[in-house]
Amino acid sequence: MIAPDRLPFAPRPIPGEVLSSWLMRIAASNLVQPEDLLEALETHHGPVPASDLLDYSIPEKTVAALSKFCRISPRVVRDMDIRRLAPQLDAVLFMRFEHEPLFRGSRLRARRVRYSFCPLCLVKERVIHTRWDWSVACITLCDIHQVPLLDECPACGETDPLNYSGVDLQPNVICRSCNEDLACNGPKSDLASDTRHAVDATYRASLVGIDPSPEILRKSTAPQFRAFIEDMHQVLRPSLNQLANCRKVIPISFSRHDILHIIALLIRNAAPSSDLRVRRKHEAKSVALWIALFQVIPARFGGVTLEDLSSRWPNALRRRFASALLHQTRKRWPYSPWGPSHDSGIRFKYMDLARVYDLSAVIESHNRKFQI
Protein backbone atom coordinates (compact mmCIF):
# COMPACT_ATOMS: atom_id res chain seq x y z
CA MET A 1 0.00 0.00 0.00
CA ILE A 2 1.32 3.42 -0.99
CA ALA A 3 0.31 5.95 1.63
CA PRO A 4 -0.04 9.67 0.80
CA ASP A 5 1.94 12.25 2.75
CA ARG A 6 -1.36 14.00 3.50
CA LEU A 7 -4.66 12.22 3.98
CA PRO A 8 -7.47 12.83 1.48
CA PHE A 9 -10.10 12.53 4.23
CA ALA A 10 -9.57 13.78 7.77
CA PRO A 11 -12.74 14.50 9.77
CA ARG A 12 -12.55 17.39 12.20
CA PRO A 13 -12.21 16.60 15.92
CA ILE A 14 -15.25 17.08 18.15
CA PRO A 15 -14.89 19.23 21.30
CA GLY A 16 -14.06 16.99 24.25
CA GLU A 17 -13.05 14.05 22.03
CA VAL A 18 -9.89 12.10 22.88
CA LEU A 19 -7.11 11.66 20.33
CA SER A 20 -7.53 7.90 19.88
CA SER A 21 -11.23 8.34 19.09
CA TRP A 22 -10.34 10.86 16.37
CA LEU A 23 -7.71 8.48 14.94
CA MET A 24 -10.29 5.69 14.84
CA ARG A 25 -12.65 7.94 12.88
CA ILE A 26 -9.87 8.98 10.49
CA ALA A 27 -9.04 5.31 9.85
CA ALA A 28 -12.71 4.53 9.17
CA SER A 29 -12.97 7.51 6.79
CA ASN A 30 -9.96 6.26 4.80
CA LEU A 31 -11.01 2.58 4.94
CA VAL A 32 -7.81 1.43 6.65
CA GLN A 33 -6.90 -0.22 9.93
CA PRO A 34 -5.82 2.16 12.72
CA GLU A 35 -2.43 0.37 12.83
CA ASP A 36 -1.96 1.06 9.09
CA LEU A 37 -2.84 4.71 9.68
CA LEU A 38 -0.04 5.14 12.22
CA GLU A 39 2.39 3.27 9.97
CA ALA A 40 1.59 5.67 7.10
CA LEU A 41 2.06 8.63 9.44
CA GLU A 42 5.52 7.42 10.43
CA THR A 43 6.48 6.64 6.82
CA HIS A 44 6.15 10.28 5.77
CA HIS A 45 6.74 12.21 8.99
CA GLY A 46 9.27 10.13 10.87
CA PRO A 47 8.91 7.91 13.94
CA VAL A 48 6.18 9.01 16.31
CA PRO A 49 7.51 8.94 19.90
CA ALA A 50 6.08 5.90 21.67
CA SER A 51 4.21 6.74 24.86
CA ASP A 52 2.14 4.61 27.17
CA LEU A 53 -1.08 6.32 26.10
CA LEU A 54 -1.88 8.04 22.83
CA ASP A 55 -4.42 10.20 24.63
CA TYR A 56 -2.37 11.57 27.53
CA SER A 57 0.58 13.97 27.40
CA ILE A 58 0.90 13.91 23.59
CA PRO A 59 4.54 14.57 22.54
CA GLU A 60 5.09 17.74 20.54
CA LYS A 61 6.65 15.76 17.68
CA THR A 62 3.44 13.72 17.43
CA VAL A 63 1.39 16.91 17.42
CA ALA A 64 3.44 18.31 14.52
CA ALA A 65 3.24 15.07 12.52
CA LEU A 66 -0.54 14.74 12.94
CA SER A 67 -0.99 18.41 12.07
CA LYS A 68 0.74 17.93 8.69
CA PHE A 69 -0.67 14.48 7.97
CA CYS A 70 -4.28 15.46 8.66
CA ARG A 71 -4.11 19.08 7.51
CA ILE A 72 -5.17 20.51 10.85
CA SER A 73 -3.89 23.14 13.26
CA PRO A 74 -1.43 21.93 15.95
CA ARG A 75 -3.59 23.71 18.53
CA VAL A 76 -6.55 21.52 17.65
CA VAL A 77 -4.43 18.39 18.11
CA ARG A 78 -3.18 19.62 21.49
CA ASP A 79 -6.75 20.31 22.59
CA MET A 80 -7.46 16.54 22.42
CA ASP A 81 -4.78 15.80 25.01
CA ILE A 82 -6.55 14.65 28.20
CA ARG A 83 -3.74 16.25 30.18
CA ARG A 84 -4.97 19.61 28.83
CA LEU A 85 -8.66 18.74 29.16
CA ALA A 86 -8.27 17.60 32.78
CA PRO A 87 -4.86 18.72 34.07
CA GLN A 88 -5.61 17.52 37.62
CA LEU A 89 -5.88 13.86 36.56
CA ASP A 90 -3.02 11.39 36.68
CA ALA A 91 -2.69 8.75 33.94
CA VAL A 92 -3.33 5.92 36.43
CA LEU A 93 -6.91 7.15 36.84
CA PHE A 94 -7.91 6.29 33.27
CA MET A 95 -9.53 3.03 32.28
CA ARG A 96 -7.32 0.70 30.26
CA PHE A 97 -7.87 -2.33 28.04
CA GLU A 98 -6.28 -5.25 29.89
CA HIS A 99 -3.83 -7.73 28.36
CA GLU A 100 -4.13 -6.30 24.86
CA PRO A 101 -1.12 -6.94 22.56
CA LEU A 102 -0.51 -4.51 19.73
CA PHE A 103 -1.18 -6.17 16.38
CA ARG A 104 -2.96 -5.37 13.12
CA GLY A 105 -6.69 -5.44 13.79
CA SER A 106 -6.36 -4.81 17.55
CA ARG A 107 -7.71 -1.26 17.09
CA LEU A 108 -4.71 0.07 19.03
CA ARG A 109 -6.25 -1.08 22.33
CA ALA A 110 -2.80 -1.48 23.88
CA ARG A 111 -2.26 2.30 23.56
CA ARG A 112 -5.77 3.72 23.82
CA VAL A 113 -7.71 4.68 26.92
CA ARG A 114 -10.61 2.35 27.52
CA TYR A 115 -14.02 4.00 27.48
CA SER A 116 -17.48 3.63 28.92
CA PHE A 117 -20.51 5.08 27.15
CA CYS A 118 -24.02 6.42 27.66
CA PRO A 119 -26.63 4.65 25.46
CA LEU A 120 -28.83 7.76 25.51
CA CYS A 121 -25.97 9.89 24.21
CA LEU A 122 -25.30 7.43 21.38
CA VAL A 123 -28.84 8.00 20.09
CA LYS A 124 -28.35 11.76 19.88
CA GLU A 125 -24.75 11.88 18.60
CA ARG A 126 -24.35 12.80 14.95
CA VAL A 127 -20.92 11.15 15.00
CA ILE A 128 -19.92 8.26 17.26
CA HIS A 129 -16.89 9.31 19.30
CA THR A 130 -15.32 8.90 22.74
CA ARG A 131 -15.43 11.75 25.23
CA TRP A 132 -12.57 12.29 27.67
CA ASP A 133 -14.74 11.88 30.78
CA TRP A 134 -16.00 8.48 29.54
CA SER A 135 -12.47 7.18 30.19
CA VAL A 136 -12.04 8.37 33.80
CA ALA A 137 -12.30 5.47 36.24
CA CYS A 138 -13.85 7.62 38.99
CA ILE A 139 -16.67 8.94 36.77
CA THR A 140 -19.54 6.48 36.39
CA LEU A 141 -22.53 8.67 35.49
CA CYS A 142 -23.39 10.59 32.33
CA ASP A 143 -23.31 14.30 33.15
CA ILE A 144 -26.07 14.93 30.59
CA HIS A 145 -28.59 12.17 31.30
CA GLN A 146 -27.54 11.28 34.86
CA VAL A 147 -27.63 7.53 34.20
CA PRO A 148 -24.83 5.00 34.82
CA LEU A 149 -22.30 4.71 32.00
CA LEU A 150 -21.92 1.23 30.51
CA ASP A 151 -18.43 -0.28 30.59
CA GLU A 152 -19.18 -2.96 27.97
CA CYS A 153 -21.85 -4.25 25.62
CA PRO A 154 -24.73 -5.48 27.82
CA ALA A 155 -25.38 -8.38 25.44
CA CYS A 156 -21.93 -9.89 24.84
CA GLY A 157 -19.56 -8.13 27.24
CA GLU A 158 -17.36 -6.60 24.50
CA THR A 159 -15.24 -3.85 26.10
CA ASP A 160 -14.63 -2.02 22.80
CA PRO A 161 -18.08 -2.15 21.15
CA LEU A 162 -18.36 1.21 19.36
CA ASN A 163 -18.26 1.49 15.59
CA TYR A 164 -16.47 4.75 14.82
CA SER A 165 -18.12 6.39 11.82
CA GLY A 166 -16.49 7.43 8.57
CA VAL A 167 -17.19 10.65 6.70
CA ASP A 168 -20.87 11.32 5.83
CA LEU A 169 -22.03 8.01 7.28
CA GLN A 170 -24.97 7.61 9.62
CA PRO A 171 -23.97 6.82 13.23
CA ASN A 172 -23.83 3.08 13.80
CA VAL A 173 -24.93 2.20 17.35
CA ILE A 174 -24.67 -1.55 16.78
CA CYS A 175 -22.13 -3.50 18.84
CA ARG A 176 -19.31 -4.42 16.48
CA SER A 177 -19.00 -7.83 18.19
CA CYS A 178 -22.56 -9.18 18.50
CA ASN A 179 -24.60 -6.74 16.35
CA GLU A 180 -26.94 -5.87 19.23
CA ASP A 181 -28.29 -2.32 19.41
CA LEU A 182 -26.28 -0.56 22.14
CA ALA A 183 -28.81 2.28 22.34
CA CYS A 184 -31.66 -0.10 23.20
CA ASN A 185 -29.82 -1.70 26.09
CA GLY A 186 -29.97 1.09 28.63
CA PRO A 187 -28.41 0.81 32.09
CA LYS A 188 -30.35 -1.33 34.55
CA SER A 189 -28.81 -0.23 37.84
CA ASP A 190 -30.25 0.84 41.17
CA LEU A 191 -27.00 2.55 42.19
CA ALA A 192 -27.61 5.90 40.47
CA SER A 193 -29.05 7.45 43.65
CA ASP A 194 -29.20 11.11 44.59
CA THR A 195 -26.02 10.56 46.59
CA ARG A 196 -24.18 9.17 43.56
CA HIS A 197 -25.37 12.07 41.43
CA ALA A 198 -24.19 14.63 43.99
CA VAL A 199 -20.80 12.97 44.49
CA ASP A 200 -20.23 12.53 40.75
CA ALA A 201 -21.10 16.17 40.04
CA THR A 202 -18.91 17.36 42.92
CA TYR A 203 -15.97 15.26 41.71
CA ARG A 204 -16.30 16.67 38.19
CA ALA A 205 -16.33 20.18 39.66
CA SER A 206 -13.26 19.40 41.79
CA LEU A 207 -11.31 18.58 38.62
CA VAL A 208 -11.52 22.26 37.66
CA GLY A 209 -10.83 23.50 41.20
CA ILE A 210 -14.37 24.07 42.53
CA ASP A 211 -14.71 23.26 46.23
CA PRO A 212 -17.56 21.02 47.47
CA SER A 213 -20.66 22.78 48.74
CA PRO A 214 -21.17 22.89 52.53
CA GLU A 215 -24.08 20.48 52.16
CA ILE A 216 -21.72 17.81 50.78
CA LEU A 217 -18.74 18.32 53.12
CA ARG A 218 -18.19 21.35 55.29
CA LYS A 219 -14.80 23.12 55.12
CA SER A 220 -13.51 20.85 52.35
CA THR A 221 -11.37 21.87 49.39
CA ALA A 222 -11.43 20.53 45.84
CA PRO A 223 -7.98 18.85 46.16
CA GLN A 224 -9.03 17.15 49.42
CA PHE A 225 -12.30 15.88 47.95
CA ARG A 226 -10.56 14.64 44.81
CA ALA A 227 -7.83 12.97 46.88
CA PHE A 228 -10.36 10.99 48.92
CA ILE A 229 -12.19 9.63 45.89
CA GLU A 230 -9.04 8.83 43.94
CA ASP A 231 -7.17 7.32 46.90
CA MET A 232 -10.10 5.10 47.88
CA HIS A 233 -10.59 4.00 44.28
CA GLN A 234 -6.92 3.09 43.91
CA VAL A 235 -7.08 1.09 47.17
CA LEU A 236 -10.43 -0.63 46.67
CA ARG A 237 -10.00 -1.59 43.01
CA PRO A 238 -7.27 -4.20 43.71
CA SER A 239 -8.51 -5.06 47.21
CA LEU A 240 -12.04 -5.92 46.10
CA ASN A 241 -10.92 -7.92 43.08
CA GLN A 242 -8.05 -9.92 44.54
CA LEU A 243 -10.23 -13.05 44.56
CA ALA A 244 -9.88 -13.26 40.79
CA ASN A 245 -6.33 -14.53 41.36
CA CYS A 246 -7.18 -16.82 44.25
CA ARG A 247 -7.90 -20.43 43.28
CA LYS A 248 -9.23 -21.46 46.67
CA VAL A 249 -12.50 -19.53 46.45
CA ILE A 250 -14.99 -18.55 43.79
CA PRO A 251 -14.42 -14.91 42.68
CA ILE A 252 -16.88 -12.23 43.81
CA SER A 253 -17.08 -9.39 41.34
CA PHE A 254 -17.12 -5.73 42.40
CA SER A 255 -17.42 -3.37 39.43
CA ARG A 256 -16.08 0.17 39.41
CA HIS A 257 -19.72 1.26 39.83
CA ASP A 258 -19.84 -0.74 43.07
CA ILE A 259 -16.60 0.88 44.22
CA LEU A 260 -17.89 4.40 43.53
CA HIS A 261 -21.13 3.48 45.32
CA ILE A 262 -19.08 2.56 48.40
CA ILE A 263 -17.14 5.83 48.22
CA ALA A 264 -20.34 7.83 47.78
CA LEU A 265 -21.91 6.29 50.91
CA LEU A 266 -18.81 7.14 52.96
CA ILE A 267 -19.09 10.76 51.79
CA ARG A 268 -22.84 10.92 52.50
CA ASN A 269 -22.24 9.53 55.99
CA ALA A 270 -19.79 12.38 56.70
CA ALA A 271 -22.15 15.10 55.46
CA PRO A 272 -22.99 17.76 58.08
CA SER A 273 -26.31 17.86 59.93
CA SER A 274 -27.83 20.24 62.47
CA ASP A 275 -29.85 17.41 64.02
CA LEU A 276 -27.98 15.81 66.94
CA ARG A 277 -29.83 12.49 66.54
CA VAL A 278 -28.89 12.30 62.88
CA ARG A 279 -25.25 13.03 63.69
CA ARG A 280 -25.12 10.28 66.30
CA LYS A 281 -26.80 7.84 63.93
CA HIS A 282 -24.26 8.68 61.22
CA GLU A 283 -21.35 8.27 63.62
CA ALA A 284 -22.53 4.81 64.62
CA LYS A 285 -23.11 3.85 60.99
CA SER A 286 -19.67 5.18 60.04
CA VAL A 287 -17.96 2.62 62.28
CA ALA A 288 -19.84 -0.22 60.55
CA LEU A 289 -19.06 1.14 57.08
CA TRP A 290 -15.33 1.48 57.71
CA ILE A 291 -14.92 -1.78 59.63
CA ALA A 292 -16.48 -3.68 56.73
CA LEU A 293 -13.72 -2.21 54.55
CA PHE A 294 -10.96 -2.93 57.08
CA GLN A 295 -11.81 -6.64 56.85
CA VAL A 296 -10.88 -6.85 53.16
CA ILE A 297 -8.12 -4.21 52.83
CA PRO A 298 -4.54 -5.37 53.50
CA ALA A 299 -2.47 -3.36 55.98
CA ARG A 300 -0.12 -2.13 53.23
CA PHE A 301 -0.52 -1.73 49.50
CA GLY A 302 1.86 -0.12 47.03
CA GLY A 303 4.29 0.83 49.81
CA VAL A 304 1.77 3.03 51.71
CA THR A 305 -1.10 2.58 54.16
CA LEU A 306 -4.56 4.07 54.21
CA GLU A 307 -3.45 6.02 57.29
CA ASP A 308 -0.73 7.68 55.19
CA LEU A 309 -3.22 8.65 52.49
CA SER A 310 -5.86 9.94 54.93
CA SER A 311 -3.77 13.02 55.75
CA ARG A 312 -4.85 14.43 52.35
CA TRP A 313 -8.60 13.95 52.90
CA PRO A 314 -11.33 16.34 54.10
CA ASN A 315 -11.41 16.71 57.89
CA ALA A 316 -14.84 15.09 58.28
CA LEU A 317 -13.80 11.95 56.41
CA ARG A 318 -10.43 11.82 58.14
CA ARG A 319 -12.14 11.92 61.56
CA ARG A 320 -14.62 9.19 60.58
CA PHE A 321 -11.79 6.98 59.37
CA ALA A 322 -9.61 7.56 62.45
CA SER A 323 -12.51 6.88 64.83
CA ALA A 324 -13.39 3.58 63.14
CA LEU A 325 -9.74 2.50 63.01
CA LEU A 326 -9.32 3.22 66.75
CA HIS A 327 -12.50 1.24 67.51
CA GLN A 328 -11.33 -1.73 65.44
CA THR A 329 -7.81 -1.62 66.89
CA ARG A 330 -9.14 -1.78 70.46
CA LYS A 331 -11.57 -4.53 69.52
CA ARG A 332 -8.91 -6.73 67.89
CA TRP A 333 -5.91 -5.89 70.09
CA PRO A 334 -3.22 -7.25 69.96
CA TYR A 335 -4.05 -8.29 66.38
CA SER A 336 -4.07 -6.09 63.28
CA PRO A 337 -7.39 -4.34 62.49
CA TRP A 338 -6.73 -4.90 58.79
CA GLY A 339 -7.81 -7.88 56.74
CA PRO A 340 -5.32 -10.50 55.45
CA SER A 341 -4.57 -10.87 51.77
CA HIS A 342 -6.37 -14.22 51.65
CA ASP A 343 -7.89 -16.57 54.20
CA SER A 344 -10.53 -19.27 54.37
CA GLY A 345 -13.27 -16.78 55.30
CA ILE A 346 -12.43 -13.96 52.91
CA ARG A 347 -15.42 -14.66 50.65
CA PHE A 348 -17.81 -14.19 53.57
CA LYS A 349 -16.09 -10.93 54.52
CA TYR A 350 -16.66 -9.73 50.98
CA MET A 351 -20.33 -10.67 51.27
CA ASP A 352 -20.56 -8.84 54.60
CA LEU A 353 -19.15 -5.77 52.84
CA ALA A 354 -21.79 -6.07 50.10
CA ARG A 355 -24.58 -6.27 52.70
CA VAL A 356 -23.32 -3.32 54.75
CA TYR A 357 -23.19 -1.17 51.62
CA ASP A 358 -26.42 -2.58 50.15
CA LEU A 359 -24.76 -3.80 46.96
CA SER A 360 -27.73 -5.82 45.78
CA ALA A 361 -26.21 -6.73 42.40
CA VAL A 362 -23.16 -8.29 44.08
CA ILE A 363 -25.35 -10.22 46.53
CA GLU A 364 -27.66 -11.51 43.79
CA SER A 365 -24.70 -12.60 41.66
CA HIS A 366 -23.17 -14.47 44.61
CA ASN A 367 -26.47 -16.16 45.46
CA ARG A 368 -26.89 -17.37 41.87
CA LYS A 369 -23.40 -18.90 41.88
CA PHE A 370 -24.03 -20.74 45.10
CA GLN A 371 -27.76 -21.34 44.46
CA ILE A 372 -28.78 -19.77 47.76
Side-chain angles (χ1 to χ4, degrees):
M1 180 182 70
I2 301 176
D5 60 346
R6 293 196 175 193
L7 291 176
F9 303 107
R12 301 297 92 178
I14 298 170
E17 182 178 18
V18 296
L19 178 68
S20 62
S21 169
W22 180 57
L23 292 177
M24 298 293 289
R25 295 196 295 114
I26 293 175
S29 299
N30 289 274
L31 304 178
V32 298
Q33 294 283 353
E35 293 79 14
D36 295 333
L37 182 71
L38 286 188
E39 182 180 344
L41 173 67
E42 293 186 331
T43 298
H44 292 284
H45 301 281
V48 173
S51 59
D52 181 45
L53 279 176
L54 288 169
D55 306 284
Y56 185 82
S57 193
I58 306 172
E60 193 59 34
K61 188 173 182 179
T62 303
V63 171
L66 284 170
S67 173
K68 295 178 181 179
F69 192 50
C70 301
R71 296 174 289 114
I72 196 170
S73 166
R75 178 188 58 80
V76 176
V77 178
R78 294 190 194 98
D79 286 345
M80 288 182 280
D81 190 339
I82 301 181
R83 192 168 187 176
R84 291 172 64 95
L85 293 167
Q88 305 290 348
L89 285 174
D90 190 89
V92 299
L93 293 169
F94 297 109
M95 300 169 63
R96 299 295 301 268
F97 293 102
E98 297 181 359
H99 311 300
E100 288 288 350
L102 187 61
F103 59 90
R104 190 176 185 277
S106 66
R107 306 220 311 173
L108 299 174
R109 283 192 290 255
R111 296 179 62 184
R112 290 162 53 204
V113 291
R114 181 178 165 181
Y115 57 86
S116 54
F117 61 93
C118 171
L120 302 180
C121 285
L122 294 184
V123 175
K124 296 184 177 182
E125 284 184 348
R126 296 182 60 183
V127 177
I128 299 297
H129 65 282
T130 302
R131 306 175 191 174
W132 73 267
D133 57 328
W134 285 4
S135 297
V136 180
C138 296
I139 294 178
T140 58
L141 300 180
C142 174
D143 64 331
I144 299 174
H145 299 102
Q146 296 299 303
V147 299
L149 298 170
L150 298 182
D151 292 347
E152 58 189 23
C153 171
C156 70
E158 170 62 54
T159 58
D160 186 16
L162 296 186
N163 284 290
Y164 294 92
S165 305
V167 176
D168 297 330
L169 295 178
Q170 290 294 322
N172 183 355
V173 295
I174 302 299
C175 172
R176 69 182 192 87
S177 177
C178 69
N179 295 321
E180 287 292 325
D181 189 346
L182 296 172
C184 291
N185 288 285
K188 299 178 178 63
S189 172
D190 59 350
L191 298 183
S193 62
D194 292 341
T195 299
R196 280 280 301 284
H197 291 155
V199 170
D200 188 88
T202 304
Y203 177 69
R204 288 175 181 271
S206 73
L207 294 177
V208 293
I210 300 176
D211 295 336
S213 67
E215 293 77 16
I216 298 293
L217 283 176
R218 190 174 294 159
K219 296 181 180 179
S220 173
T221 66
Q224 289 175 330
F225 188 84
R226 193 174 65 249
F228 177 74
I229 290 183
E230 294 171 359
D231 289 348
M232 289 301 298
H233 183 272
Q234 292 297 96
V235 169
L236 293 177
R237 183 175 58 181
S239 298
L240 296 185
N241 291 287
Q242 61 180 321
L243 289 182
N245 299 319
C246 181
R247 299 178 181 178
K248 296 180 180 179
V249 292
I250 294 179
I252 297 173
S253 176
F254 288 83
S255 69
R256 71 186 185 100
H257 291 264
D258 298 329
I259 292 173
L260 267 297
H261 173 70
I262 290 172
I263 295 172
L265 290 190
L266 291 170
I267 292 173
R268 183 181 69 178
N269 177 266
S273 174
S274 59
D275 190 323
L276 179 59
R277 290 176 299 178
V278 172
R279 292 203 303 270
R280 288 177 175 173
K281 182 179 179 181
H282 282 186
E283 288 171 2
K285 179 66 173 178
S286 173
V287 173
L289 291 173
W290 280 105
I291 287 179
L293 288 177
F294 293 158
Q295 294 184 97
V296 298
I297 296 177
R300 298 189 68 83
F301 36 83
V304 298
T305 67
L306 209 57
E307 295 170 272
D308 299 328
L309 297 174
S310 67
S311 63
R312 313 191 312 157
W313 301 348
N315 290 335
L317 287 162
R318 191 162 63 244
R319 288 195 299 268
R320 290 282 202 272
F321 165 75
S323 177
L325 184 59
L326 178 61
H327 180 279
Q328 184 73 342
T329 301
R330 289 174 173 174
K331 180 180 178 181
R332 288 182 56 85
W333 187 90
Y335 305 106
S336 170
W338 302 96
S341 298
H342 297 294
D343 67 16
S344 58
I346 190 70
R347 177 167 59 86
F348 300 101
K349 293 179 181 180
Y350 276 56
M351 287 309 300
D352 181 55
L353 175 69
R355 294 187 185 96
V356 169
Y357 283 90
D358 193 27
L359 292 168
S360 56
V362 175
I363 296 172
E364 291 172 5
S365 175
H366 171 268
N367 291 343
R368 284 195 301 270
K369 290 178 182 177
F370 289 89
Q371 298 181 349
I372 296 177

